[in-house]
Amino acid sequence: MSDSIALRTIRPRVLYFGTPVLLIATRNADGGTNLTPMSSAWALADRVVLGLAGGGQGLANLEREGECTLNVAGPDAWRAVEALAPTTGCDPVPSWKAGYRHAADKFALAGLTPRPSEIVAPPRVAECPLQMEARVVEIRRRALPAWREAAGGFAIVETEVLRVHAHADMTLAGSDHVDPQRFRPLLYVFRHYVGGGPSLGRTFKAEV
């Protein structure tokens, strides 16, 4: 790196440096559906690992039911995601979620459409260009006293993707590949919603 580039040492309150927004659909104890918007996820092979605050309805559902759908939102869904952001499936609302409100039907609230899954019980989100049916492999809880201690820290949730559904116009015809030139996930960057830009290049491992 050139010595002419100025640097600063900073202490940002959050480290959301840019990850795709997922809507996690889980089944409530009463058979209803909860939608959890989140942006702390990474994928490796057929596993998607989630980071969730402890004490939420989505995490409780994952622990009890052991399955979910992971729906990758596109840029045009940011308003729907933001409509869900200040809501919780918990009733009553936990004290650590100050400023949140309970929402029983999050699909209706966000104007989204549930679509039946083929393997798991929770539905998929029809508007999301990439929809994954998954089962929980392992949940590990971590204490984090400096961050929402009343929520019980956070949980690392490893899921195994069982089936993938994609909007046809986001795939390459005649293949199982998502088209990287057309697929643009919604990104969460330092608490701002950002749409992905054009593809810049390809790695040597790329198959298309």
Side-chain angles (χ1 to χ4, degrees):
M1 184 172 65
S2 172
D3 291 338
S4 64
I5 297 177
L7 293 175
R8 293 176 55 221
T9 299
I10 63 174
R11 298 180 65 184
R13 286 173 53 84
V14 296
L15 294 174
Y16 296 115
F17 47 78
T19 48
V21 174
L22 270 62
L23 294 176
I24 306 174
T26 55
R27 187 168 62 175
N28 296 323
D30 64 3
T33 301
N34 186 65
L35 271 182
T36 303
M38 61 88 69
S39 61
S40 298
W42 59 270
L44 185 64
D46 63 351
R47 304 299 168 95
V48 176
V49 180
L50 315 170
L52 292 169
Q57 187 66 45
L59 179 58
N61 291 348
L62 286 168
E63 290 180 314
R64 185 186 60 255
E65 302 289 332
E67 59 183 18
C68 62
T69 65
L70 307 173
N71 305 274
V72 183
D76 57 353
W78 79 265
R79 289 183 175 84
V81 173
E82 181 59 19
L84 294 170
T87 68
T88 175
C90 295
D91 187 18
V93 177
S95 59
W96 64 274
K97 284 200 167 188
Y100 284 69
R101 67 183 188 280
H102 170 67
D105 189 345
K106 292 188 178 182
F107 273 96
L109 174 71
L112 297 171
T113 310
R115 176 173 290 174
S117 295
E118 297 176 358
I119 298 177
V120 301
R124 295 172 283 136
V125 180
E127 288 79 6
C128 289
L130 194 61
Q131 308 155 16
M132 297 170 280
E133 301 183 41
R135 71 176 184 90
V136 174
V137 175
E138 184 178 14
I139 298 178
R140 294 188 179 184
R141 287 187 173 268
R142 292 286 186 268
L144 192 60
W147 179 66
R148 289 182 173 173
E149 185 175 7
F154 67 94
I156 302 168
V157 183
E158 179 185 348
T159 68
E160 177 187 7
V161 175
L162 306 174
R163 185 156 295 176
V164 179
H165 310 268
H167 288 185
D169 62 356
M170 296 292 171
T171 65
L172 293 171
S175 79
D176 289 321
H177 295 295
V178 173
D179 188 346
Q181 302 298 327
R182 285 181 283 181
F183 177 66
R184 294 288 180 269
L186 175 67
L187 302 177
Y188 191 61
V189 181
F190 292 104
R191 290 181 172 161
H192 287 254
Y193 298 109
V194 177
S199 176
L200 301 176
R202 62 194 297 274
T203 176
F204 75 97
K205 293 182 179 181
E207 297 178 356
V208 295

